[in-house]
Amino acid sequence: MMTQPFILSPRYRLDDSSPWLEGVDPSRRYWLAVNGNQRLQVVIPGLWVSSVQELKEVILHFRSLQPQEKMVIQRMVGGFTIQCISSNCYAIQGRVNGALVWHLFDKEAMETLLMTAHPDWIPSAKDLELGRKLLEAAFRQPAYAI
């Protein structure tokens, strides 16, 4: 008997009937409810830029992606890759319950997430709470002495 859910590729569109975007925390990580399942949340790194010009360059690069091309986004810690699957399908690799998955986004949803990197973007109170939640989880991790 299988106790872990079998997840292939969660898909996200802005017009989905089930809400999948939990929020974008102040450090621009994307909080997703996998396929709209509120009990199955993941956090994936998001875009962080230091200027409007840098954001413009990233958006233009994203818009120019062709099928099978990818775009690597670097962050201070970690990063992620956007893989163009087709003209309206983009994938970001992640883990759900330890299993490697591709989170699939349409062009509008992916571009909307990238736009939250705008230097003037201000997170909502709910988004601030997501950031606190991640910090609390980090503080619960054991500290290692070297």
Side-chain angles (χ1 to χ4, degrees):
M1 184 166 114
M2 199 175 196
T3 58
Q4 295 292 323
F6 183 66
I7 300 168
L8 294 175
S9 298
R11 179 207 42 80
Y12 311 99
R13 293 186 339 238
L14 290 181
D15 62 353
D16 278 341
S17 59
S18 59
W20 54 270
L21 181 61
E22 294 294 315
V24 180
D25 70 27
S27 63
R28 308 313 201 268
R29 287 180 295 251
Y30 312 137
W31 291 67
L32 308 176
V34 177
N35 284 333
N37 183 346
Q38 302 296 315
R39 294 175 309 199
L40 192 55
Q41 292 184 357
V42 294
V43 181
I44 57 176
L47 177 62
W48 183 277
V49 297
S50 57
S51 69
V52 174
Q53 182 58 38
E54 186 180 353
L55 177 62
K56 182 179 177 181
E57 290 169 10
V58 169
I59 295 296
L60 290 174
H61 183 195
F62 169 72
R63 289 177 178 171
S64 73
L65 287 176
Q66 297 298 310
Q68 307 310 312
E69 292 182 342
K70 58 185 166 184
M71 177 178 172
V72 177
I73 305 291
Q74 293 296 327
R75 290 182 54 120
M76 292 291 275
V77 177
F80 65 102
T81 300
I82 299 171
Q83 176 79 38
C84 179
I85 306 300
S86 70
S87 63
N88 194 30
C89 184
Y90 301 85
I92 296 177
Q93 187 176 355
R95 292 206 172 269
V96 175
N97 287 340
L100 195 57
V101 299
W102 287 99
H103 297 282
L104 302 177
F105 301 88
D106 69 3
K107 189 171 193 167
E108 183 181 24
M110 189 75 254
E111 192 167 299
T112 299
L113 289 175
L114 293 174
M115 291 299 288
T116 63
H118 193 287
D120 294 336
W121 178 79
I122 298 173
S124 70
K126 179 184 171 193
D127 294 331
L128 289 172
E129 192 55 40
L130 292 173
R132 284 188 195 99
K133 187 172 157 181
L134 199 61
L135 275 175
E136 287 173 7
F139 286 133
R140 286 193 296 270
Q141 297 296 319
Y144 296 98
I146 297 176

